[in-house]
Amino acid sequence: GAGVSQSPRYKVAKRGQDVALRCDPISGHVSLFWYQQALGQGPEFLTYFQNEAQLDKSGLPSDRFFAERPEGSVSTLKIQRTQQEDSAVYLCASSLNRNSNQPQHFGDGTRLSIL
Amino acid sequence: GESVGLHLPTLSVQEGDNSIINCAYSNSASDYFIWYKQESGKGPQFIIDIRSNMDKRQGQRVTVLLNKTVKHLSLQIAATQPGDSAVYFCAEILNQAGTALIFGKGTTLSVSS
């Protein structure tokens, strides 16, 4: 498809396990963003990539969260030693270039449940 | 049509009415704003955007108004349809060098036929 693709759509893990969430941005989009959305809330920024460079990771809640985009296309968000408070929807968005006046287009997210 | 002066978490309208959803943004330095529609189980869907050098922008059945004096943004939906039922979020970006979207509180729009 032409949109942002995220996988898996749903992930259930036991507390303490590591998880990896994948994002395929729109082809040709330079900028890629990860957001976390708690139930009933708006998305909150986690981290931003321009091509393969992670330029802003100020929103990552702890050092258990790690994101990469090694070839400037697909990105992976990894959460180590998951905790129950990590349960949320993780959204990926991409935009055409680094100009902030470009809309970010979102995928449908990965719903993460930590038991 | 229905209109609200302040942000309300829910808005219920009849099919065919005009809807107005309000949003107060946080930072006077913000210079780009976007309205998103989010349906259950889906990601936010881009509706319309506006830059801070404008005060009005129109799309198909939607209009966004920006009042920088009071840091207020509104989304007007004409002839609301049942398919418009969703949660609507406004989002801002702080400045030209900024990248992260800051989302406002969502408004759940319910359209009854």
Side-chain angles (χ1 to χ4, degrees):
Chain A
V4 177
S5 178
Q6 293 188 245
S7 61
R9 290 281 285 119
Y10 303 93
K11 176 69 178 177
V12 179
K14 293 182 179 179
R15 185 165 53 94
Q17 289 183 328
D18 298 347
V19 298
L21 313 179
R22 176 187 168 105
C23 172
D24 280 275
I26 295 172
S27 178
H29 278 198
V30 167
S31 298
L32 184 145
F33 307 82
W34 284 97
Y35 292 83
Q36 180 189 61
Q37 186 172 26
L39 190 64
Q41 305 293 318
E44 293 191 352
F45 171 76
L46 293 176
T47 187
Y48 159 64
F49 290 85
Q50 181 183 327
N51 295 307
E52 69 279 3
Q54 188 175 22
L55 299 186
D56 187 349
K57 53 183 180 180
S58 62
L60 295 177
S62 78
D63 59 7
R64 295 186 297 103
F65 287 70
F66 172 77
E68 60 183 4
R69 194 187 185 197
E71 297 178 359
S73 179
V74 171
S75 178
T76 303
L77 176 67
K78 297 179 180 179
I79 309 174
Q80 297 176 323
R81 304 181 303 281
T82 53
Q83 300 178 4
Q84 285 191 321
E85 61 261 32
D86 300 334
S87 296
V89 175
Y90 290 85
L91 293 164
C92 177
S94 68
S95 65
L96 187 58
N97 56 43
R98 75 166 304 278
N99 184 336
S100 60
N101 289 350
Q102 290 281 340
Q104 295 178 23
H105 299 277
F106 284 81
D108 286 336
T110 294
R111 183 176 297 275
L112 177 64
S113 299
I114 305 300
L115 305 178
Chain B
E2 288 278 343
S3 68
V4 289
L6 300 174
H7 171 264
L8 293 179
T10 61
L11 177 62
S12 296
V13 301
Q14 292 285 324
E15 182 178 3
D17 283 354
N18 296 329
S19 303
I20 300 178
I21 300 172
N22 293 302
C23 175
Y25 62 92
S26 58
N27 198 308
S28 57
S30 293
D31 66 359
Y32 180 56
F33 305 88
I34 308 176
W35 278 101
Y36 285 96
K37 171 187 179 184
Q38 188 172 28
E39 297 173 283
S40 180
K42 303 268 190 178
Q45 177 188 355
F46 171 82
I47 301 173
I48 191 168
D49 57 0
I50 188 167
R51 300 178 186 180
S52 59
N53 61 353
M54 306 169 67
D55 54 20
K56 180 178 180 179
R57 191 167 188 217
Q58 289 185 290
Q60 187 176 14
R61 283 201 307 120
V62 295
T63 300
V64 55
L65 299 177
L66 174 63
N67 184 330
K68 294 181 288 293
T69 302
V70 293
K71 295 190 290 184
H72 182 267
L73 199 64
S74 69
L75 176 70
Q76 301 178 2
I77 305 173
T80 314
Q81 302 168 1
D84 296 327
S85 295
V87 180
Y88 289 80
F89 291 98
C90 65
E92 62 186 297
I93 290 182
L94 283 179
N95 53 51
Q96 286 287 345
T99 52
L101 287 169
I102 301 170
F103 282 80
K105 296 177 182 178
T107 294
T108 300
L109 176 65
S110 298
V111 183
S112 53
S113 53

